[in-house]
Structure formats: structure tokens, C-alpha cells
């Protein structure tokens, strides 16, 4: 069905719910308002609903006639979202609704902020199932979790008593011709160095180098797509510049979130005015070369040099060299592949660089299917800290969901998809963290799970987009799977 504008989308109940929850802020760790909204909505429907101390929700819908004796099914999604915006956009993710734009089949924010379809559209599908009295299905337990986009603390803290079945459908994938049957684990890593300061002297002038226009994206699902990392580009530029001129650093910052490939970075340098032309020449040449290297993924790359006020205290030459060395030495990008599946097995994303409380921080997300490879990358970062005098801390670890070759739920889904759409659906593992891995030890028996979802692009960035027709397709698929469960 074609829709003329955003409000027309309300004709479809999935989009009705998505538009409603898009009015409510859903920043990770600030999910109480959206959790309470869904809680009260479920109560108004007369459904059994539970809310825990993490604002997770369990909503139970009884089986329809003829399905009472069948084993229940869990539908699961997360209610929080990544909050990224363009630097020039004024948007408060704690207060402001998401402003939606519909262009043909594509729903977005017009490249202003993240859309929140990750995973608001999964939540909306679950809500549509819960309210629809015409559907045929066994007992349905909807589990909506919090904290997914930061540390999966919601899923990790779901009480095992919430599970009375071993089968689960996660709605957090972004390709409608695929079933996901495995995902990687991960861990965040802080590497920090104490900084030393020296007083600003009169001969130094301040100049800001600003890198913008990169595409960014999801630090797992997009890590293999050749997208430039603004932090890495900035360090490489500074490495070239220090061979030609002397400079100190007044301030440095790159990226906003370790789970997003950094789109922007800047540094404020202190150097003599006579070296300004050299700085501009190095920056101009570096931009030219970077555009050649990242021709398809960084067409809007800009490296700008402009005057900037300096702080009274500047980072010493020793600290400056440590920062540049640490970023250059830090692992970033794909580390290893699963050859048989042609899927990334392990990777890391240097998502943030910033100065706080007399320390410089490098924040990385490591992803890996196998713990040994995760530990290998972690140890590489630890060695950087060891030799450069830094400290390392791991945080927000979550487990992988290991692919299993046999699955009754997957077989049913494959058959339903083929009957509906006249083609086979692909089955694969994905290089992203899915909450299914958090449930393996909680669920009753041997977990039988799949992850599905509509076509979406550029998650974790303001370019996030969602296909309307694909959403309709996947919802039809979901409801037919429920109807055909044995």
C-alpha cells in the first residue's frame, strides 16, 4: 500500500504504534517513560503484564482457539535507541520527539537524527500482535528489554522465571530476506592515559582541524563496508604533521559512541603562525588522498582548518605523542572472518577519543563470536597501555549466540517464507550483538531462536532509514509463522 505522508502510515497498526512510541524519548538508560507507556497500554488491553527494576516488560497474551495446547513462543525486542544527530541539529533526546520524514517507501528523519527503528519497529510489531484478536497463535509472551544499545543490561537481568518456553523470535534484524541464527558477543574497552600540561606561550596561535562528512554507521554490521573512522583519520593526519612542524594540543575529541563508527573528530592545535601554511597544505593533501582511498564511502569528507582560541594549559609534547601513537596502534576494523559463512568473526571500533579529568580516553568496542579472539584483541589494547603508561578497563560485556545447524523454529520459518513469497530465505549469523545470547542460560531447555526484521540501513547514524513495504512484508511473515507453529 502506498502512503502519501507520515500520518497516513497510521492506517497500518505497526506504524501506528511506531509513530506513537516515536513521540516518547527512548535514550538508553532513560527508558522509564516509554516502559510505563507500554505498561499502561497493555493493562488497558486487559493483558497480563510485568515490569521489573530495569524497566523490562513481560506481556502475556493467551493462545487463540485451537492453539491452547501448543508450546508458547516469545517475541522479543528492545525499547531503547541509539541517540545520534548531525552537529548542526538541535535535538534533545531526553525531551524531544523524533521527527519523521516519509519519501516514497523510505521512512527517516531527513538525515537529522537517528530514526529509532532500531529497535522501535520491533517493539511496534510486538504491540500489533498483542492487540490483534484476529490472529491465530499459541500463547505469546512479549519481552521488551532496556539498555540494549549500551550494555544489554536489560536482557542480562531478565529473570529466568519469565521464560516458560524454549523458542523465541527476536525482531532486531535489518534484511527481510534473511533469518539470523547466531550473533557475536562483545565488550567495551576504556584505555586512558594521564595527561601532562604546560602553560600556553605567546608565540603559539590556535587552529582547529575538523573532520566531517563521513558516513559512520553501526560498529558491527557496517564494520566491513570500508567506512572511514574519523578518529583514525585524525591521528594519521597528526602523525604526518608532526614530522613537519612542532605543535601542542589544546583539545581533542572524536566520535560520540563506541557502537557507532565515528563520523566527526576535531583537534585544536597550538603552533607558530609561520607554520600555518604547512598545516593547511598537509590537511589539504591528506583530504585529497583520503577521498581517493574512501572514494565510495566518504564522498562528503571535509577537513577544515580554522582559527580557534587556546586553553591556558596545553598538553605537553610527550602527552601529544602518546595520544597519536595510541590511536595509530589501536586495532580498528575487521580482525578475522568466518570463512564458511563469509561473515566477520571479530572486529573492533575505536568509537571515542576525548579528554576528561586530566586523562585522555580511547573507547573501543570489541566484537567476536569466540571469546579467545575477543581476548586476543583486548590483550593488544592492553599492551598499548602497558608500553605507553596507560590503564585499561573492560565493561559492558555480553555473550555471543552460537549458530546451531538444526532448528525446528527455523525450519517452520523457512517453509512459511517460501510459501508466502515464492523463494527461499537465507540463514546466517551476523556480526552484531543480539540479545538472544543473553537468554541462552535463562531459557527452558535448549534455546531455539531466530531473528528477523525489515530492511533498514545506516543504523546508529542520522542516515538511518527504514523501508515501509518491507516492514509490512515482515509483519505478514511474523504473523504467519505464529499461525504455523506446532
Amino acid at each position: 500500500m502506498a502512503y502519501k505522508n507520515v500520518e497516513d502510515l497510521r492506517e497500518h497498526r505497526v506504524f501506528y504504534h511506531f509513530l506513537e512510541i516515536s513521540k516518547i524519548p527512548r535514550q538508553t538508560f532513560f527508558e522509564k517513560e516509554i516502559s510505563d507507556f507500554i505498561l499502561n497500554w497493555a493493562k488497558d488491553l486487559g493483558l497480563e503484564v510485568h515490569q521489573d527494576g530495569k524497566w523490562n516488560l513481560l506481556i502475556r497474551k493467551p493462545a487463540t482457539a485451537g492453539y491452547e495446547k501448543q508450546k508458547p513462543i516469545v517475541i522479543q525486542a528492545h525499547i531503547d535507541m541509539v541517540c545520534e544527530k548531525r552537529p548542526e541539529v538541535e535535538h534533545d533526546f531526553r525531551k524531544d520527539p523524533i521527527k519523521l520524514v516519509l519519501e516514497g517507501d523510505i521512512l527517516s528523519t531527513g538525515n537529522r537524527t537517528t530514526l529509532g527503528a532500531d529497535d522501535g519497529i520491533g517493539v511496534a510489531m510486538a504491540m500489533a500482535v498483542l492487540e490483534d484478536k484476529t490472529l491465530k497463535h499459541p500463547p505469546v509472551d512479549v519481552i521488551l528489554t532496556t539498555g540494549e544499545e549500551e550494555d544489554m543490561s536489560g536482557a542480562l537481568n531478565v529473570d529466568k522465571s519469565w521464560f516458560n518456553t524454549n523458542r523465541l523470535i527476536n525482531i532486531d534484524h535489518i534484511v527481510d530476506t534473511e533469518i539470523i541464527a547466531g550473533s557475536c558477543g562483545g565488550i567495551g574497552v576504556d584505555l586512558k592515559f594521564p595527561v601532562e600540561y604546560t602553560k600556553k606561550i605567546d608565540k603559539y596561535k590556535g587552529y582547529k582541524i575538523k573532520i566531517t562528512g563521513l558516513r559512520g554507521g553501526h560498529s558491527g554490521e557496517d564494520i566491513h563496508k570500508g567506512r572511514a573512522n574519523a578518529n583514525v583519520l585524525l591521528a594519521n593526519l597528526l602523525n604526518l604533521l608532526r614530522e613537519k612542524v612542532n605543535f601542542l594540543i589544546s583539545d581533542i575529541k572524536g566520535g560520540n559512541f563506541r557502537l557507532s563508527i565515528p563520523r566527526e573528530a576535531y583537534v585544536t592545535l597550538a603552533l607558530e603562525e609561520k607554520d600555518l601554511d604547512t598545516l593547511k597544505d598537509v590537511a589539504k593533501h591528506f583530504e585529497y588522498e583520503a577521498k581517493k582511498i574512501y572514494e565510495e564511502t566518504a564522498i562528503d569528507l571535509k577537513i577544515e582548518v580554522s582559527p580557534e582560541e587556546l586553553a591556558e594549559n596545553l598538553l605537553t609534547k610527550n602527552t601529544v605523542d602518546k595520544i597519536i601513537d595510541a590511536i595509530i596502534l589501536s586495532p580498528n576494523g575487521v580482525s578475522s572472518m568466518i570463512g564458511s559463512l563469509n561473515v566477520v568473526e571479530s572486529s573492533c571500533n575505536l568509537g571515542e577519543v576525548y579528554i576528561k579529568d586530566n586523562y585522555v580516553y580511547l573507547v573501543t568496542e570489541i566484537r567476536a563470536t569466540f571469546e579467545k579472539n575477543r581476548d586476543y584483541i583486548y590483550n593488544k589494547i592492553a599492551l598499548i597501555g602497558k608500553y605507553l603508561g596507560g590503564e585499561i578497563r573492560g565493561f559492558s560485556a555480553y555473550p555471543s549466540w552460537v549458530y546451531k545447524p538444526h532448528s525446528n523454529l527455523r525450519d517452520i520459518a523457512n517453509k512459511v517464507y517460501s510459501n508466502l513469497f515464492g523463494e527461499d530465505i537465507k540463514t546466517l549469523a551476523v556480526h552484531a550483538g543480539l540479545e538472544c545470547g543473553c537468554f541462552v542460560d535463562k531459557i527452558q531447555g535448549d534455546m531455539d531462536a531466530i531473528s528477523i526484521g525489515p530492511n533498514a540501513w545506516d543504523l546508529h547514524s542520522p542516515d538511518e532509514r527504514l523501508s515501509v513495504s518491507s516492514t509490512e512484508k515482515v509483519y505478514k511473515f511474523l504473523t504467519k509463522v505464529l499461525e504455523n507453529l506446532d
Side-chain angles (χ1 to χ4, degrees):
M1 179 176 180
Y3 302 93
K4 294 181 180 179
N5 54 57
V6 170
E7 285 302 308
D8 282 353
L9 289 171
R10 291 183 177 275
E11 297 173 25
H12 195 291
R13 293 303 292 179
V14 170
F15 287 107
Y16 173 87
H17 291 299
F18 183 68
L19 265 61
E20 288 300 299
I21 65 177
S22 294
K23 297 177 181 178
I24 303 169
R26 293 184 284 126
Q27 184 174 354
T28 305
F29 299 148
F30 296 90
E31 303 101 336
K32 184 180 186 302
E33 185 178 358
I34 183 64
S35 180
D36 286 347
F37 171 81
I38 299 172
L39 173 76
N40 292 324
W41 171 85
K43 286 180 177 179
D44 289 344
L45 286 177
L47 298 172
E48 178 186 346
V49 57
H50 305 271
Q51 184 185 61
D52 67 13
K54 290 286 185 179
W55 313 117
N56 295 315
L57 293 168
L58 166 64
I59 309 171
R60 288 199 157 116
K61 182 183 182 186
T64 53
Y67 288 78
E68 296 91 346
K69 294 183 179 180
Q70 290 189 7
K71 188 164 57 174
I73 182 77
V74 171
I75 297 175
Q76 189 268 322
H78 65 87
I79 60 177
D80 62 315
M81 64 175 281
V82 168
C83 298
E84 287 278 302
K85 66 182 184 69
R86 296 257 177 235
E88 69 277 9
V89 171
E90 290 190 11
H91 185 95
D92 187 340
F93 284 102
R94 303 273 185 89
K95 298 188 300 184
D96 298 337
I98 301 297
K99 297 179 181 179
L100 305 177
V101 175
L102 181 66
E103 297 176 295
D105 185 55
I106 301 300
L107 187 63
S108 73
T109 65
N111 309 110
R112 292 170 47 83
T113 71
T114 37
L115 174 64
D118 176 15
D119 187 26
I121 203 64
V123 175
M125 287 191 189
M127 294 174 74
V129 168
L130 287 170
E131 73 174 0
D132 193 340
K133 296 180 180 179
T134 69
L135 298 179
K136 300 176 182 179
H137 56 72
V140 172
D141 294 345
V142 169
I143 295 179
L144 303 177
T145 53
T146 60
E148 194 272 353
E149 298 292 7
E150 184 64 52
D151 60 4
M152 297 205 183
S153 54
L156 289 168
N157 283 279
V158 166
D159 194 276
K160 64 181 181 180
S161 66
W162 282 17
F163 294 95
N164 58 12
T165 182
N166 74 322
R167 53 187 186 179
L168 179 148
I169 300 174
N170 166 279
I171 311 175
D172 196 15
H173 187 44
I174 58 168
V175 182
D176 68 13
T177 56
E178 297 174 350
I179 286 176
I180 299 304
S183 61
C184 67
I187 187 170
V189 182
D190 274 341
L191 177 61
K192 69 175 186 178
F193 301 90
V195 298
E196 300 171 340
Y197 290 101
T198 184
K199 288 289 185 182
K200 179 180 69 173
I201 56 178
D202 290 341
K203 70 176 181 178
Y204 284 136
K205 302 295 182 183
Y207 301 98
K208 176 180 278 190
I209 303 175
K210 189 174 182 181
I211 297 177
T212 59
L214 297 179
R215 189 167 178 179
H218 190 287
S219 65
E221 293 188 351
D222 295 323
I223 199 70
H224 64 293
K225 296 180 179 178
R227 299 185 181 179
N229 180 311
N231 293 328
V232 174
L233 289 186
L234 183 60
N236 280 319
L237 172 55
L238 294 177
N239 187 45
L240 292 172
L241 185 64
R242 68 178 169 178
E243 295 175 358
K244 298 180 180 294
V245 300
N246 294 318
F247 61 84
L248 299 179
I249 288 177
S250 177
D251 189 23
I252 185 170
K253 187 180 187 307
N256 298 307
F257 189 38
R258 72 181 196 284
L259 302 183
S260 299
I261 300 171
R263 304 185 313 275
E264 295 107 16
Y266 73 82
V267 64
T268 300
L269 300 183
L271 73 165
E272 295 184 46
E273 194 169 7
K274 66 180 179 63
D275 293 322
L276 176 58
D277 287 342
T278 302
L279 167 59
K280 289 182 175 180
D281 288 344
V282 171
K284 182 178 181 180
H285 182 71
F286 186 87
E287 179 187 292
Y288 173 77
E289 292 295 328
K291 282 184 173 179
K292 286 201 301 183
I293 295 170
Y294 300 100
E295 182 178 9
E296 295 182 359
T297 61
I299 56 175
D300 296 321
L301 169 64
K302 279 186 180 180
I303 300 179
E304 300 170 295
V305 177
S306 60
E308 185 73 13
E309 290 293 320
L310 292 174
E312 287 300 315
N313 294 313
L314 307 175
L315 301 183
T316 64
K317 180 68 163 61
N318 181 56
T319 299
V320 168
D321 286 338
K322 280 187 178 182
I323 293 172
I324 298 171
D325 292 348
I327 297 174
I328 289 175
L329 290 171
S330 288
N332 182 76
V334 175
S335 178
S336 62
M337 302 285 294
I338 300 176
S340 59
L341 298 175
N342 194 30
V343 170
V344 178
E345 187 280 325
S346 55
S347 73
C348 47
N349 175 60
L350 180 53
E352 295 178 76
V353 176
Y354 61 89
I355 297 171
K356 181 181 178 182
D357 298 332
N358 296 321
Y359 282 89
V360 60
Y361 287 83
L362 279 61
V363 187
T364 295
E365 176 72 6
I366 300 173
R367 298 179 187 267
T369 302
F370 303 107
E371 285 189 16
K372 290 292 184 183
N373 285 341
R374 182 195 70 186
D375 294 345
Y376 167 71
I377 299 172
Y378 183 92
N379 290 335
K380 289 176 75 171
I381 299 173
L383 285 173
I384 297 171
K386 176 181 177 180
Y387 290 113
L388 294 180
E391 302 173 32
I392 188 171
R393 176 183 71 97
F395 63 95
S396 300
Y398 56 92
S400 61
W401 168 30
V402 179
Y403 173 86
K404 294 181 179 179
H406 303 294
S407 161
N408 181 60
L409 178 58
R410 202 161 69 228
D411 290 344
I412 293 171
N414 288 341
K415 184 177 179 180
V416 168
Y417 188 92
S418 178
N419 289 339
L420 279 175
F421 306 115
E423 61 180 2
D424 293 334
I425 194 167
K426 299 174 185 175
T427 299
L428 69 158
V430 68
H431 190 63
L434 291 174
E435 291 163 293
C436 300
C438 302
F439 303 136
V440 172
D441 294 331
K442 299 174 183 288
I443 213 161
Q444 291 187 9
D446 191 21
M447 186 175 77
D448 191 3
I450 62 173
S451 179
I452 60 174
N455 293 338
W457 303 269
D458 292 321
L459 309 187
H460 296 190
S461 85
D463 297 329
E464 183 183 357
R465 305 179 307 287
L466 173 73
S467 166
V468 171
S469 60
S470 176
T471 301
E472 294 174 320
K473 173 186 174 182
V474 171
Y475 184 66
K476 182 179 181 180
F477 174 43
L478 171 65
T479 57
K480 285 298 181 182
V481 169
L482 296 177
E483 182 178 333
N484 284 272
L485 289 172
D486 52 26

